[in-house]
Amino acid sequence: MSIRISGDLLALDASIRSIIEQQAQRLAARFPERGLRTEAKILEEFDPVRGHRIRCELKLDFPGGRQVVVREARREATEAVLAAFAAVKVQVRRLIRPTLPQTSEEATPPLQAVGIRH
């Protein structure tokens, strides 16, 4: 699985890039049959309430046209990256989880009115 990393100067930091690449490889190993394409964007931002924060955005593209986008912001870049990958794992599991089988009409009896007289 290839990963595209973009953003501001933080995207150039070798240690942050290696953490993102390691987490992307773990994600690909966890869901090998899915053919995921991953993009990571890491940016510095200033929140008036919380102050200086690092935001990590992850976008996963599935072959069938489905996408998962997760945004996490923390004070440290490593924390933001790890939180984003943890959140994306949950979203991917929800997306690929098999749905419950539909019940057939034969299994559920039709509704009948009780106690109504005409």
Side-chain angles (χ1 to χ4, degrees), residues 14-95:
S15 63
I16 294 172
R17 289 182 69 83
S18 85
I19 292 170
I20 292 172
E21 289 168 355
Q22 287 172 359
Q23 291 296 316
Q25 288 174 354
R26 282 183 169 176
L27 185 67
R30 188 171 182 105
F31 306 104
E33 70 282 352
R34 297 295 170 188
L36 302 174
R37 215 176 67 217
T38 307
E39 292 181 29
K41 190 178 213 180
I42 187 154
L43 303 162
E44 292 183 65
E45 65 180 19
F46 182 77
D47 183 358
V49 175
R50 296 187 176 116
H52 178 78
R53 296 170 68 85
I54 308 297
R55 184 179 69 211
C56 181
E57 296 180 7
L58 292 176
K59 181 176 125 182
L60 274 67
D61 292 323
F62 290 87
R66 293 177 146 182
Q67 284 185 343
V68 173
V69 179
V70 173
R71 293 176 186 93
E72 289 289 332
R74 300 286 192 272
R75 289 200 181 270
E76 297 294 324
T78 305
E79 293 174 9
V81 170
L82 295 176
F85 274 98
V88 85
K89 285 177 191 173
V90 172
Q91 295 299 321
V92 170
R93 269 191 249 125
R94 284 183 185 162
L95 186 66

